Amino acid sequence: MAAEAGTKTSGVDAGGQGGRHEPLTGIVTTDLAAITRGRFVPARRLERLATTGVGWLQADLSLTPFNTIVHPNPWGSTGDLRLVPDLAARFRTASTGTATPFDLVCGDLVELDGTPWCCCPRTMLRQALADLEAETGLTLVAAFEHEFGLAGPNLPPAHAFAFAALRRTDPFAPMLMAALEEAGVDPDVVIAEYGADQFEITHKPCGGLAAADRAVAIREITREVARGFGWLASFAPKPAPDGVGNGVHIHFSLVDAEGRPATYDAGQPGGLSAAAGAFCAGVLAHLPAITAFTASSVPSYLRLKPHTWSASYTSLAERDREATLRICPVTTIGGRDPAGQYNIEFRAADATANPYLALAAVVRAGLEGLRRRAPSPPLIVGDPEEMSEDERQALGLVRLPTSLDAALDALEADPVVTGWFAPVFLECFAGVKRGEIEHLKGRHPADLCALYGGLF
Ligand code: GLU
Ligand code: MG
C-alpha cells in the first residue's frame, strides 16, 4: 500500500515506485543501547539461513545511540560472529500501511562454530529463564506494557484518557492493533494515556523470551505504523523534563512445573505466594545494581522520580503506582479465580533498556531470592518519599540510583550481580554507558529529552 499523496506521508514514499518487490526479512539483534539492528535478506532464503545466519561483529555491541562505536571497547577492529534467526520469533504483517510487508525475525548471536556468544542479550535471557526453571521448577510468564508519544502534524490537543484522544488519530489505533495481531504479537489493548499525545500498548502474557521478542516487535511496528501517518512514535523515557514519562512496565508471574499459577496464595499478605515473595525480595535486594540494565540511559533518571507514578524506592506495594514492584489488581467478578490473573509489575524500566537484558536482570535477581529462600518483603503502605529516613530504614526502603552514573557505580559495587555476567560483557556495557554519559555532559535536561525523543 503506498501512502496517498496529500493525505498522509510515509517514511519512504513508495508512491509511483511500481516495480517488482523482492520481499525482505530483517534478521535482528537488539543491542545495549536498545536499538534493534540487523541485516535484510530475501524472505525466500530465510529458512536456508536459519542454521548459519548472517554475519555480525562484536564491535557492534559497543555502538552508542549516537551511532558511534565507543572507545575504548573490548573488541577493536577484529572478530566476527553469526546472527542466527530464530524462526519461532518471526513477526510478519502486511498491515502497517507501508509499501511492502513488515518482516522481522529475532536472532541469537553465536561464534562462527555456533557456540552461543557470551554477550548476546537474547541468549542471556534464555539462559536466565532456563536456570530459573532448572533450579526451582518455575517458569516465568511476562508481558511488556509500553507507553509512547505521538508527534507530528494534524494532532489537535486532546484530554487525558479521552475518547477523542484516540479517535483523533484514526485509523492509527485500529491499524496498529491489526498489524500487531497479524504479526503474532497477541496485542491486548491500545489506550490514550495521561500525558499529552501519550498512548499505551500492551500484549497478552507469554513466556519470558517471547515477551521480550514481542517488546522488540511492538516498538518497531508502532514506529512503522506512525511513520505512515507522518508521525513519530517515541518511546523515550521523558518527552520533556516535567512531562509525563513513558514507562515500560514488565508484568511477571510464576508457573510451576505442572503449569499451575504459583504467584498467588490467598493466605499470605497481599496474596503473594512464598515463592513469589522470595523472587520479589531478590529483585528488591539487587535493584540498585540492576537499574543500569532496566533504566539504561541518561534521561531514564529524569523519569525515576518520586510522585511521577514511575519508581523511586526499593518498594513492593499492593496496587500502588509509586511502587517499583506493584502487585496488580485481580477481579473476582463473576466468580473469577484470582490465581491466574495475579501478577507483579516491575515499573523501573523504560525503552532505552534492552528488553532481554532488563528481564534477564529481573529473573537473575529473583532467582537469587529464591535460592536463599528470602522472606517476602514488607508490603509498603504510604509514600516512601514522605517517610523519615528512620521509617524508610526500618522498612528496608532504599532510593534507586538518581543518575546513570550512580546506577553504574551500584552495579559495579554488587558482586552478586556482576557475577552473572562475563567480565568482557561488563566491560562492554560500562564502556557504552560511560561513553553515553560523556557524550551528553553538560546538556540541559530539556535538550536531553528532545534528543532522545527523536532517537527512541
Ligand atoms: N507514565 C508512568 C511511567 O512513567 C506510568 C503511569 C501508569 O501507571 O500507567 O511509568
Ligand atoms: Mg500506563
Side-chain angles (χ1 to χ4, degrees), residues 35-58:
I35 308 292
T36 295
R37 310 185 201 250
R39 295 200 172 159
F40 283 87
V41 298
R44 66 193 155 80
R45 279 181 36 214
L46 183 63
E47 303 252 332
R48 255 191 295 145
L49 289 168
T51 320
T52 52
V54 293
W56 203 250
L57 51 153
Q58 285 85 341

Side-chain angles (χ1 to χ4, degrees), residues 145 147 193 200:
E145 177 182 320
E147 291 172 330
E193 251 283 2
E200 178 177 303

